Amino acid sequence: MPSPKYKLVYFNAQGRAETSRLLFAAAGVDFEDVRFSNEEWAKFKPNTPLGQAPVLEVDGKQLCQSHAITRYLANIFGLAGKSDWEKANVDAGCEVISDLHKEIYEMVFGKDDATKAQIKKKIIEETSPKLLGFLEKNAGSQWYIGDSMTVVDLTISGLISNLIKMKILSTVDNYPKLKAIQSRVEADPKISKYLKKRPDTEM
């Protein structure tokens, strides 16, 4: 059987599509990385199932919702965990990161500078220590769970990079397990190759 043809459609940003892009890179699977600007969104929006992005196309069939897309890819690429327990903990870790992402998006798209500053203060002082502390406490000695890389490790790596880029974190030294996971992910030859050619975007 021929390999499926994949197309991932999203803004020219990391945002809600970057974990999926990292999954393709980790698996060494080719895909069409369709990126558009904010100005071009109106042209793409009518062709999406819910007027939202990202959208994954598999041989022309569309799948929406970012978490559904990442779980689908993680499962078919063998990066979702090896046992039911591992898979559940991978999902739990990803959901914790999603909770942090929600506040980050609220900050980025805040109505004014004062609102953005208030949300950022809360993330720095409350949300980030609580959720990163949970991840650090529950992470394994090599990977978040199990003996090989999974989607939650990819998500942790991307999260740490963005927290530093957005000056929410100045260092990850307080989270040595997460720091080590990020280093292992970025040292993976396939991931490293992708990161070197990835467009430099704001978020």
Side-chain angles (χ1 to χ4, degrees), residues 6 23 25 33 38-39 56 61 68 81 83 91 99 102 110 119 130 132 134 139 141 169 179 184 200:
Y6 298 104
L23 282 163
D33 188 11
N38 291 337
E39 293 73 23
L56 175 69
K61 296 179 292 185
S83 67
D91 283 347
D99 287 344
K102 286 175 186 175
I119 297 171
K130 176 184 177 181
L132 292 179
F134 173 89
S141 59
L169 283 181
K179 182 178 180 179
R184 289 188 189 94
D200 185 19

Side-chain angles (χ1 to χ4, degrees), residues 96-97 100 123-124 126-139 144 155-156 159-160 163-164 168-169 171-172 174-178:
V96 168
I97 295 168
L100 184 48
I123 293 172
I124 292 172
E126 300 177 28
T127 311
S128 179
K130 176 184 177 181
L131 298 185
L132 292 179
F134 173 89
L135 294 170
E136 176 71 19
K137 178 181 177 181
N138 288 278
Y144 185 75
T155 311
I156 286 170
L159 173 69
I160 296 298
L163 289 177
I164 291 174
I168 292 171
L169 283 181
T171 176
V172 287
N174 291 336
Y175 308 103
K177 291 181 182 177
L178 303 186

